[in-house]
Structures are given as structure tokens and as C-alpha cells.
Amino acid sequence: MTAVDVPAVCGDRERVIGWLQEYGVYVGVAALLVFNIAFTPHFLSVENFRTQAVQVTPVLILSLGMALVIATGGIDLSVGSVMALAAAMISLYLGYGPVAAILVALVAGAAAGAVNGALVAFAGVQAIVATLAMMIGGRGLSLVLLPQLDGIRNAGIRELGAGDLLGVPYLVWVSAALIAVVAFVVRRTVFGRRLVAIGGNRRASELSGLPVRRTLLAVYMLCGLFAAVAGVLATARLQASDPNSIGQLIELSAITAVVVGGTPLQGGRMRVAGTVAGAVLMQLLVSTLIKHDLPPSWTQIAQTAVIIAAVYVARERGRR
Amino acid sequence: MATVPFDRAGRSPRRTATVFTALACTALTLLATSCARGEDEAGGGQTAGGGQARAQELDDAAGSDQTCNIEQFGMEKFDLKDMTVGFSQSEAESNPFRITETASIKSEAEKRGVELITANAQSDFAQQISDVQGLMSQGAELLIVAPLNSDGWEPVLAEAERKQIPIVTIDREINGNPCEDYVTFIGSDFVEQGRRAADRMIEALGGEGEVAILLGTAGNNVTTERTEGFKERIEEKAPGIEVVFEQTGEFTREGGQSVTEQLIQSNPEIDGVYAENDEMGIGAVTALRGAGKQPGDVKIVTVDGTEAAVQGIIDGWIYAVIESNPRFGPLAFDAHESFGKGEDVPVELIISDREYTRDNAEEELSNAY
């Protein structure tokens, strides 16, 4: 870094850390882009960016929902299982046509989110426990419904997964739309203010008369709904419903994207653009290592390094 | 707070939670069961497994010369018909291989009128150990085990020895002394499968070109052996072929698709893809199709022999499929039967796997699983 970024005076260290918290994730994305442009063959092509954008879509959508939940001070471990549930629904209800099947999948996702939300908001179960139960139960239920991979030949679903509009894949349109919706909700609506307030101090929010329980329920339902959207899109892209392997461990990728993006795990703050950049950063990291044909164990190590760096930067703020 | 706060309607939040959770769960269950209608309900569904399809055949040349009989093992002769057999499956029956394997064991037991108790460890090794112990305490007198790992079986082997329960392991080996810890191992030679895949790849590319490998799950002997055999044969027979890319697709369709998408971006002139199972190969096909390639542009060779992959050969996307036959039922029960009669049983039985190519795919489609 240049002297502009790191002023010599010791007291400015905090300023650097603060700056890194705010913009570190973008620096990471930019660094990876520069590296790839310099060293990866065929990186600067429309096709490549299309591939990366399509591949990041499920994690990106999940991490948006996850960021909402984390902003309230909670967490949702069940998103991968909800994806599997949505995939199973698509296969079960495709006989009624693609639109009906997608609607059923979304309703199932929202219902699963409602169970999480009710347990967290009304029964006072800790989020990590409630959603862990849904993570195990949801996967189990979807495997009962659809015990094995089922190929999808429906033209509508396949078009959703592989087709494009104005040269941009439908998957990317959907994620762009959801980013816009979440950004609007968080920045411009009362609901957005409330969920951040609850994460900041639940007790104070209750005492000041905010509808804490209702808000929490809605947040978990939204997260479930987003997970179902991710499940539908992943299924469409794969051209098969695969409840056994879809979304395995993806909740961890989503949480990573949120944390790397600068949303603190203890809640009270939500960064939409940072979350998007966090998801993109992890995607670029994995893709760089794959393209350079490095062993998969390197991918895990590199991801770990990014997570620790992100959490380290966040820790500095806690001390301040 | 000593009292539970009530809302305006006088309901306690806890009750609301119960009601809400119950409602949502009911909704989920209703969605799941009520009026589902799949894409091809009239299509008759899939016919997985069963003993009707092509059974396994032994490769007499391979396997071990060492044999085992019941006297060496140190127990009394028995008649298979009077025995209870326990079967422990390692992975969830959600992929075609495992579905067919379990179905084959079950249908063979039914055919022979042998009582069978089963357990599935869902890819959890600790669970499989307790599964097998559970089967023994439930009265299994003979065991058929599809092990998840090769190591770590000592507690089970000790108990089986004490109770004099002979074990036949299928598809993967248990590390131990044959005829002491277990009777016999029945399975495919994964290194050989890799070599044969390499032969097909060499044939497809005419001995020249760049090849990518879609590896299976890391740290799994199937992955290591299928890779070893493939590379060994390529090095030996076709120095003109270069393996330029090796990444794991975790044995899943999604993994195969994602990795192949990255691959065709960074190596657009790739000539061949060797997928270590069919699911990843089908994922690769989806990726290639998405990238606007035509069938046959990139030669794909896979291992397994599932129906979808053999269909891929007919459609022109897949060049060849090396079979890994999961229909262990007949051979496993044969082994127990002849062992019980006091006959000599080889301690290693290697299956001769077939292969599917453009020449036989259409007529053999019904034999795929």
C-alpha cells in the first residue's frame, strides 16, 4: 500500500482499520480481478463474467437473506436444507406446470422460515438451535419426499436456468432484482430500521414499543423465501432436483459472505453492498484457484485466511 | 421476569409459537403429501435395482488365489436358508449406485427366502460401526457390509469373532486378515476401471490432446484408485496426451457442472474430460451444452454405468462409460452359501465390469441402472 493509505502516525492506525472494515472487501475483489486479468488466460471475456455471475447466484441470494437475519442478531443454519426442500417441491409439483411448481417451492420455503421465526420470536429458542433443527429436519423431509436425483426436462425450468434476456442470464436478473429489493427495504423502510434496531438492542426495541416478534418472524420468513428462490434457481441451472447434495454446507458460504462483507455477527448493522461483494469475493477466490488448477485443499486454506482477516478487522472495532 | 407477558388478545407468546409452528408444519406436510404431481407421473417411474437386470460376473483372472473355508475360519457348517443375514449400507440410498446395491441385496434375500435385517449409516462412519453392532445384537448370524472406510473396524471385527459371525464385504475392502477377520471381499478393481477409462480416452483422442480429470471426493480410495489407473495408463501408452486440469467435483452433478464451467473458460481448447463417476460426467455435459458446444466436441469418459450416462452416449455427448456394477446380491449370498457348505471361497472376488460405447449403448440401455 502507498503512504496515502497508511499514514505514518500511530494514532491513525484506527483510521486504517476503520477504512479496511468499510472497504476491505472491495479491495479484495479488486485485487483478485487485477491478479486474474494479469495471470489467468481468457479471464477478460464476457463468457467468463457470465459464468462467474451465474455460479455466484445461489450463494449471493442466500447471503442477502442471511444478512437480514444476522442484522437482527440471529443466524439461519437451515438455508441449505430449505434449498433442498424447494428442489424437492419443484420435482413433485412440476406436473402442474413450472409456474405452479415454483410457487409451491416458494411457499414451502416461507413456511420453513415461519417455523424458524416462530421458534425464535415467540418460543424464545435460540436462533442457532431452532435453525439447526430445521437444517436437519428440512433435509430429512426433502429426502423423504424425493429420495434420489430427478432430472428435469420441462422447457420452462430449463430456460430459467440456462436462458437469458438481453444477453444477461435470468439468474443474474433475479439476483439483481433481489439485491435492489433488499437494499430498498434496509435503507428506506420502517421494517428495515426495525430489524437493525432489534439487532442493536432487542430489550430497548421491545421497551420502545417496536413489534419485535412480528419483525423477527417476517425476517426469518424472508430468509426462508430467499433460500427457496436460491433452491429453485440452482435446480433450474442443474436441470435436476437433487435434494441430497443441493445446498450442502452452503449455509457456511453464505455466513462467510455476510461476515466478510462487514456485517457484524452480533447484529445491529447491515451492509447490502458489502454482502454482495463478500459473495463475489469468495466466488472469485474459488474460481481463481480452480482455473490455476491448484488442489482443492488450497481453496479451503485460502477461504480460511480470508475469514480470519475479515474477523480480525471486525475485532479491532469491538476494542475501540 | 416472573410472568409471561400477554399481548392484546390475551394470548401468551409461547402459545402463539406453538400454534404457529404447528400451522406451518402442517402446511409443509400438506404440501409434501396432498396433491403432488410430478413431471411424468404416467411414465411408470424408474426401475432401480432388482436382480432381473444384468447380474455381476466374476473376473476369474483377477482376484486372489488364497481361499478360505469354514474349518480354517473355525466354525460349524451352516445352511444359509436357516440363517438371519444383516446388511449394513454405508451411504444414503440417494444415488443410483447405492439404490441398486441395496435393492439387489434385498431382492436376492427375498428370492432365497433368507431373513434379512438392514441398516444405513448415511455416510457417518461412527454410525456404521454402531449399525453393525446393532445388527449383531438383533440376531444377525451372517453379515454383508458395504464399508464406508477401510480402517477402524477393530471393535466390530472383535465382536464378530467372539460371536462367530462371518463377514462378507462388498464394493470397498476392510483392512484386516482375510479368513480371520472377514471371509471375502467382493468388488470392482477401481485401478483397472481407471486404466480402461484411459484406454477409451486414448482411442477417442487418437493419442493426442489435453485432458481434464473431474476427481471424486478427496481422501476416498475410489477417487485415488480411479485416478491412479487412469494416469498410469495414459503415461504408459499415450505420451501425447497431457492431463492439464484436475479438480474435484465431489462425485455430484452440481460439482461436475461448476468445475467444468470454470474449465472451459480457462482451457477452451480442452479435448477430453474424464469424470470419475457418471453424475459428474452428466454435470459436465450440462456445462458444455450451456457453453454452446456440440455433442462430441469434447470427449467425455465416465465410470459407473447409470441409465442417464448411457443415454448420454446415445445422444452423442458421452464417448464411453466404464461399468461399476452394484448388483452385489447374488454373489454375496453365493459366497455365504458355499462358505456355509464348507467349500473353499476365494478371499478376494473381483467383478469383471463391462463398458458401454456407441456400439452397444442402445441395446444395453436396459442393463444400465
Side-chain angles (χ1 to χ4, degrees), chain A residues 41-42 45 47-48 51-52 55 85 89 91-96 104 107-108 111-112 114-115 118-119 122-123 145 147-149 151-154 158 213 217 237-240 244-245 283 287 289-291 293-294 296, chain B residues 1 5 13-14 16-17 20-21 24-25 27-28 30-40 46 48 92-96 99 244-248 252-254 257-259 261-262 265-269 279 286 289:
Chain A
H42 315 288
S45 69
E47 273 306 308
N48 178 51
T51 301
Q52 306 309 334
Q55 286 199 0
L85 207 54
M89 292 301 171
S91 172
L92 285 177
Y93 283 85
L94 206 48
Y96 294 103
V104 172
V107 169
V115 174
L119 287 173
F122 295 99
L145 298 177
Q148 73 176 109
L149 184 143
I152 286 172
R153 288 166 304 286
N154 182 289
R158 290 181 95 137
R213 296 201 183 96
L217 181 67
R237 194 172 91 80
L238 188 60
Q239 304 177 0
N244 191 45
S245 63
Q283 169 67 27
S287 127
L289 295 171
I290 290 183
K291 280 174 191 283
D293 197 24
L294 291 167
Chain B
M1 277 203 307
R14 213 155 282 237
T16 321
F20 211 93
T21 313
C25 287
L28 274 179
L30 273 178
L31 278 178
T33 49
S34 57
C35 40
R37 191 164 76 186
E39 196 173 0
D40 38 19
Q46 284 180 315
E93 280 116 10
S94 54
N95 66 57
I99 294 168
V244 293
F245 185 90
E246 278 175 71
Q247 288 290 318
T248 177
T252 66
R253 197 178 286 201
E254 206 282 324
Q257 182 182 359
S258 298
V259 171
E261 283 171 352
Q262 301 282 8
Q265 285 305 321
S266 58
N267 302 46
E269 56 286 316
E279 283 299 305
T286 315
R289 194 189 280 139

Side-chain angles (χ1 to χ4, degrees), chain A residues 118-130:
Chain A
L119 287 173
V120 171
F122 295 99
V125 180
Q126 279 180 332
I128 197 165
V129 178

Side-chain angles (χ1 to χ4, degrees), chain B residues 300-313:
Chain B
I300 302 177
V301 177
T302 71
V303 185
D304 263 357
T306 62
E307 206 179 322
V310 178
Q311 183 63 47
I313 301 182

Side-chain angles (χ1 to χ4, degrees), chain B residues 32-104:
Chain B
T33 49
S34 57
C35 40
R37 191 164 76 186
E39 196 173 0
D40 38 19
E41 213 77 330
Q46 284 180 315
T47 47
Q52 306 83 352
R54 199 165 58 188
Q56 291 174 335
E57 277 168 26
L58 286 175
D59 182 351
D60 294 327
S64 167
D65 293 335
Q66 195 193 341
T67 59
C68 178
N69 64 36
I70 201 155
E71 275 164 46
Q72 286 168 299
F73 196 77
M75 62 181 277
E76 302 283 302
K77 287 186 188 176
F78 60 84
D79 186 0
L80 179 64
K81 287 205 168 46
D82 312 327
M83 306 295 268
T84 304
V85 178
F87 171 56
S88 163
Q89 176 60 283
S90 54
E91 291 171 16
E93 280 116 10
S94 54
N95 66 57
F97 186 93
R98 296 292 166 191
I99 294 168
T100 313
E101 188 178 46
T102 304
S104 160

